[in-house]
Amino acid sequence: MNLFGSYDVVVTGAGSSGIVAAIRAAREGARVLLLEGTGFLGGLITGGRLTKPTGLINSKIFEEMLDRCVGYRGADGRIRESYWGKYTGTFDAEVMQRVIIEMVEESGVEVLLRANVVQTLTKEGAVHGLLIRTKSGESIVLAKAFIDASGDGDVAALAGVDFMLGREGDGLTQPITSYFRVLNVNVPALVADCEANRDDMWEVVYPKEAGDRNEDYAMAVLLTGFQQRIKDKVAEGFNWIIPKDHITMKTGLIPGEISVNVTRFQGNGLDERDLSRAEIEIRKQAYCAFDFLQRYVEGFENAIFLEVAPKLGVRETRRVTGQYVLTEADVRGNRRFEDAIGLCNSPVDVHEPGGSRAIMDHVGVGYGIPYRSLVPMKIDNLLLAGRCISVDEIAFGSTRNVPACTMTGEATAIAAALAARRGVLTSVIRAEEVQARLRELGVWLGTPEESVPDVLRQVS
């Protein structure tokens, strides 16, 4: 079997958690390989057009990424507030892609795209290598430490680790979705429409100082609602084929650009037939929603349908069983942990499995994410980052968002780099060592003794 290479740290998955993990591990002195199954970096924050972090950014690497986007005039770095809490502003997907490439190359991370892990190589209960498949065939990758940032927990599952899937009772997961983008929208007219129908809107966020130009609203508008309008127009005969009862939209970098979140497909994100069907059905739903907006929402009369996001938005698959399962009570109760590696204020964001509703519940000043939730049971030398960490089905509604994903990426990178430097397994690294480095970087940890950051003290 061909040996592709030997590394200090191998990160699987180049979404937001994997990008942060790879860059941080390299900056900590590790020789890093970043594996990604698609042909681009960034996952949903680039290819999925998921350009608004749902919550405050508390990862120093991602904070730098956002700052660089601002420097390219491709992001709104200001803190804004919705009914579900405070969040760090939006960015443009392609500008973010540019920044990711810059930072990955500057840090010396080796990237291998279109590479899939097909087997883990274990010895005495620890992962020591991966069998990968590329266009060139199969190869072995060896490393001193591994991070599963695949989103789906693929590496952990291949290693035989237990995992949770879906809600208790029927096993259904949150539905799959994709953003679609529209150009040439009259945003001032759209905002005026939403204000005139305020009782049908859950949130109407826009710059109060904005005038009558589309430029005044770029990357600064967030709208959710239209529930009654959908209901009324369906009663009048409009063929609404989407199993969702509301629409969310946001403005982009281009004046008059709107990204719409409304599509919904119920399926298993680990099943190839479901994924294939989702790609088709979501596009049909996007065309339906576009027709609705053009007919019934002010500002869309001359709109142009630009694209459906090229990367499918799989919200939920495996939640790997770790040393601690973060619970709904922990999240809603603002629990602090002695081994916390990040304070997260992302709302409990759950799109009803098998239904049409969704919840976005405020969690106040936030909760700590315990390091133990990043450490899988039954296997050593493998750490979890991103949406596959160890949480229950409702806590997942918060931790699946970008702020938690990037925090877990940064923490696992520090642990993996420490293990590689010392020539030990990741189980030898203590949470306190990871926390000490995170404190040096200025991360809010979410431990019991830590004070609440000023930015979170006033929470609506």
Side-chain angles (χ1 to χ4, degrees), residues 9 13-14 22 25 48 55 83 98 104 113 134 144 156 158 205 212 255 332 346 355 367 393 434 445 459:
V9 177
Y83 72 95
R98 178 180 182 177
V104 163
L113 300 175
T134 68
K144 297 174 182 176
L158 287 169
V205 178
D212 58 2
R332 294 190 187 276
S346 293
Y367 58 93
E393 62 190 86
V434 178
L445 295 182
V459 181

Side-chain angles (χ1 to χ4, degrees), residues 62 67 85 107 156 180 199 228 280 312 370 390:
F62 197 82
D67 287 345
S107 64
F180 68 90
D199 58 346
Q228 188 60 48
I280 303 299
L312 195 63
S390 181

Side-chain angles (χ1 to χ4, degrees), residues 170-217:
D170 59 13
L172 289 181
T173 57
Q174 292 194 49
I176 299 167
T177 190
S178 285
Y179 272 100
F180 68 90
R181 288 202 296 167
V182 177
L183 297 181
N184 206 39
V185 176
N186 183 337
V187 181
L190 168 62
V191 170
D193 182 312
C194 293
E195 284 287 14
N197 294 277
R198 206 63 168 76
D199 58 346
D200 193 27
M201 300 301 297
W202 304 355
E203 60 185 335
V204 181
V205 178
Y206 64 94
K208 301 307 178 186
E209 71 279 7
D212 58 2
R213 305 181 314 143
N214 274 343
E215 289 84 350
D216 298 337
Y217 299 85

Side-chain angles (χ1 to χ4, degrees), residues 219 238 295 306 362-363 386 412 422 455 457:
M219 291 190 294
F238 183 81
R295 293 182 196 179
L306 176 62
H362 204 320
V363 299
T412 53
R422 296 178 188 171
V455 70
R457 286 188 183 279

